[in-house]
Amino acid sequence: MWNLTEANDYIKFNAIDNEDFLDADDDRKQMLLNVSKRTIDRKFKDIEIPNEAYYLFGASLGAIFNDTNKMAQQGVASFGVSGINFTFKDGIGSKNGAPVDLAGFIPDEVYEMLGVSRARTAKWTVL
């Protein structure tokens, strides 16, 4: 079990996109931190991970998988409620219908905190 008071305080003052995590119920916060830990531990074997890294990624996961973004991941192209309309770009959370590895969502700040370089792939463009 996570110390949610500590997690909330850290996320409140250190994560820019923190509303989805802070507004979540305690069970969802525990789940987001569990997924954060599992994903980071799988990605960074043999590195000691501070709780702050899990907190930052947990907050990111809260935003990535909030109710609105989940609709985009499920294939909803757009929707409207009381005059407010949302239109989604393709590719949130999936590639050709297949789930994307959550490690791809780990924030750069976590890489920096761990002293690890993020491997970037070059994309070719034609000018």
Side-chain angles (χ1 to χ4, degrees):
M1 295 293 277
W2 294 93
N3 179 336
L4 292 183
T5 301
E6 179 181 294
N8 285 332
D9 287 346
Y10 187 84
I11 289 167
K12 180 178 180 180
F13 296 111
N14 293 283
I16 291 173
D17 197 357
N18 61 18
E19 294 86 5
D20 290 300
F21 185 91
L22 295 174
D23 292 343
D25 63 35
D26 287 352
D27 286 344
R28 180 153 176 85
K29 290 176 182 179
Q30 291 284 344
M31 180 274 300
L32 291 168
L33 293 172
N34 289 342
V35 172
S36 172
K37 179 173 178 26
R38 187 171 56 245
T39 305
I40 287 175
D41 288 350
R42 184 178 59 240
K43 175 77 174 172
F44 302 106
K45 296 175 177 72
D46 303 323
I47 295 178
E48 186 173 335
I49 312 292
N51 282 346
E52 292 81 4
Y54 300 127
Y55 299 159
L56 288 173
F57 187 36
S60 293
L61 290 173
I64 293 164
F65 292 98
N66 68 20
D67 291 340
T68 303
N69 286 335
K70 280 195 288 190
M71 290 196 311
Q73 294 162 25
Q74 295 166 351
V76 174
S78 65
F79 74 97
V81 177
S82 300
I84 299 172
N85 297 307
F86 295 86
T87 302
F88 301 110
K89 293 177 79 175
D90 293 335
I92 295 177
S94 67
K95 287 186 181 176
N96 301 325
V100 172
D101 182 10
L102 292 177
F105 295 117
I106 297 172
D108 288 342
E109 189 173 5
V110 170
Y111 281 84
E112 292 167 10
M113 186 181 288
L114 301 177
V116 176
S117 173
R118 179 187 286 266
R120 301 256 186 216
T121 57
K123 293 185 180 182
W124 293 92
T125 60
V126 176
L127 300 176

